[in-house]
Amino acid sequence: MIPSVLPTYNRAPLEFVKGEGSWLVERDGRRFLDLGSGIAVNALGHAHPDLVAALHEQAQKLWHVSNLYTIPQQQRLADLLVQHTFADTVFFTNSGTESCELAVKMARKYWYDQGDSNRVEIITFEGSFHGRSTAAIAAAGSEKMVKGFGPVLGGFTHLPWGDHDALRGAVTDRTAAILIEPVQGEGGIRSLPDQCLKGLRRICDETGALLILDEVQCGMGRTGRLFAHEWAGIAPDIMMVAKGIGGGFPLGAVLASERAASGMTAGTHGSTYGGNPLGCAVGSKVVEVVSAPGFLGQVNARAGALRQKLEALVASRPEVFEEVRGRGLILGLVCKAPNTDVVKAGYDNLVITVPAADNVVRLLPPLNITEDEISEALARLDAAAAQVETAASSC
Ligand SMILES: *Cc1c(COP(=O)(O)O)cnc(C)c1O
């Protein structure tokens, strides 16, 4: 008999009842150190007092009002994002998938309005993940995601990761946009070198194609800059955001330049819940905290400490781990042992990590994880690795 919850997930037998900062409390009272943050969502940890207060305060005033009216909380968050990023304008969604939908629509509408209605192709990359809608799975294009869900939405060209020559040849006068994650999350924490992102920007400038960055997972301070592309000193035309921006409240956004957004006039797009007062009250607080002076400096310092300790862990457990990769606090441990064994051993040792493609164990701790918690995390990861080693040698 089918379970009452549609069984699309292989769930671990863990039931968390409370979160406090970097900690999750299981029903049975065990305290887990959370290096997953709900997959980069709880950017400021669990139950951050400022976020709780922002949600509370708004909940007592007004939960929902239609986008037929002015929503001041939405206006404020849009202003903050415009102030702190390349963007001239912002549309709010409830998820990364919805942000992907709009990014694709926006790019195509731009060229349509330029009188170039053949210019609809979007170039994407192998190993990418952009969400689960029909457009988002077509964008990623992997067999695993599209199989059985055909006909697959057309207009996406998939290129190998990191092949500059293939890319150069693939951009034609039908290319509307190039869509890429500066750091692939689900794909196994593969970061695009800064010079490649610069190269992508150059190709887009030369051909007119729009550059769409998916910073749903790697954005909102996770790499140590507010958005990952800032490291390369370039700006996209369109950027997808979600996950961390709501700090745990469902919230997403599409940020765009005035040029890229020029086709999106009244009536061309919409959302019932997108930009609702609750989500935007929380989102504004997240952006305020992450962009406050000193916060990202602290993220970089913590990331440096974590990285150094992880390198030592990998060196001391060569049967389990191969290398550390990623940037800031979006890190991957490339495993020799099966990554799911490492994640499970982590559960036994009260530390939460997340598997990713390429046999990687992902670490996405809260951005405000403390130094003591980092030391504790390493002790638990080492215990988990020891357990995997022992299990391997006994069979
Ligand atoms: C999670 C994710 C998405 C999809 O976001 P949802 O909120 O799950 O719809 C899109 N792109 C990237 C890079 C992601 O990590």
Side-chain angles (χ1 to χ4, degrees):
M1 204 172 71
I2 193 164
S4 59
V5 174
L6 191 72
T8 58
Y9 278 93
N10 278 318
R11 292 171 196 272
L14 292 170
E15 205 178 311
F16 299 113
V17 294
K18 193 171 162 57
E20 297 163 355
S22 304
W23 299 87
L24 279 170
V25 183
E26 220 271 348
R27 198 182 164 81
D28 62 11
R30 285 180 300 161
R31 290 173 63 83
F32 288 73
L33 191 44
D34 184 10
L35 305 183
S37 306
I39 315 190
V41 167
N42 304 102
L44 300 175
H46 301 277
H48 187 288
D50 292 356
L51 302 194
V52 172
L55 186 63
H56 246 260
E57 197 188 315
Q58 188 55 45
Q60 283 162 347
K61 288 188 201 152
L62 180 66
W63 288 21
H64 175 80
V65 62
S66 166
N67 277 305
L68 294 171
Y69 314 106
T70 300
I71 302 176
Q73 296 78 11
Q74 185 183 131
Q75 184 64 52
R76 168 157 165 67
L77 179 51
D79 289 344
L80 270 176
L81 289 169
V82 166
Q83 180 195 331
H84 287 289
T85 70
F86 74 95
D88 301 313
T89 189
V90 185
F91 183 93
F92 292 103
T93 67
N94 309 283
S95 68
T97 299
E98 289 167 75
S99 294
C100 180
E101 291 294 317
L102 174 55
V104 168
K105 284 177 69 177
M106 186 181 278
R108 289 181 173 168
K109 185 64 158 52
Y110 172 78
W111 289 111
Y112 179 86
D113 284 1
Q114 299 299 304
D116 216 344
S117 54
N118 280 328
R119 204 158 172 172
V120 297
E121 292 286 330
I122 295 177
I123 291 177
T124 61
F125 296 87
E126 284 165 11
S128 62
F129 181 82
H130 302 296
R132 297 291 196 161
S133 64
T134 45
I137 62 175
S142 70
E143 160 126 357
K144 189 178 148 212
M145 264 188 282
V146 301
K147 195 176 174 189
F149 298 113
V152 179
L153 186 70
F156 293 93
T157 306
H158 306 100
L159 298 185
W161 178 256
D163 186 339
H164 194 83
D165 295 336
L167 177 62
R168 255 260 113 93
V171 179
T172 69
D173 57 6
R174 289 180 44 102
T175 304
I178 297 173
L179 164 57
I180 195 165
E181 294 160 80
V183 183
Q184 282 192 345
E186 305 302 309
I189 314 297
R190 295 197 292 181
S191 18
L192 195 65
D194 290 343
Q195 74 265 24
C196 293
L197 205 44
K198 285 194 180 111
L200 274 177
R201 180 69 267 178
R202 206 172 311 119
I203 290 174
C204 287
D205 289 342
E206 285 163 16
T207 59
L210 299 171
L211 180 59
I212 306 173
L213 294 182
D214 181 346
E215 294 224 18
V216 168
Q217 192 159 154
C218 63
M220 281 316 298
R222 190 139 289 279
T223 64
R225 300 292 288 265
L226 188 54
F227 290 101
H229 65 265
E230 294 171 21
W231 287 110
I234 60 109
D237 301 291
I238 300 172
M239 178 168 69
M240 298 153 49
V241 177
K243 292 202 167 99
I245 192 174
F249 196 94
L251 178 65
V254 173
L255 280 65
S257 68
E258 185 164 15
R259 168 188 168 230
S262 58
M264 304 307 295
T265 51
T268 55
H269 198 64
S271 169
T272 296
Y273 287 127
N276 70 80
L278 289 172
C280 289
V282 177
S284 292
K285 190 50 80 177
V286 173
V287 175
E288 263 176 39
V289 171
V290 174
S291 60
F295 185 88
L296 289 171
Q298 181 190 284
V299 170
N300 284 305
R302 299 280 151 80
L306 176 56
R307 178 90 186 209
Q308 200 174 15
K309 290 184 159 77
L310 289 173
E311 299 282 2
L313 172 70
V314 167
S316 71
R317 300 281 180 193
E319 286 165 47
V320 181
F321 300 119
E322 216 167 279
E323 63 162 318
V324 188
R325 65 191 190 194
R327 187 166 215 173
L329 292 176
I330 175 165
L331 294 168
L333 291 167
V334 184
C335 296
K336 272 199 194 123
N339 61 346
T340 47
D341 288 1
V342 177
V343 171
K344 280 202 191 98
Y347 296 153
D348 293 341
N349 291 280
L350 307 185
V351 59
I352 306 285
T353 60
V354 185
D358 240 12
N359 205 33
V360 162
V361 168
R362 249 183 296 181
L363 307 179
L364 305 154
L367 302 180
N368 53 2
I369 188 170
T370 67
E371 277 175 44
D372 287 350
E373 287 165 346
I374 288 174
S375 299
E376 185 59 36
L378 263 291
R380 293 180 185 206
L381 288 171
D382 188 54
Q387 186 179 317
V388 170
E389 256 176 29
T390 310
S393 62
S394 69
C395 62

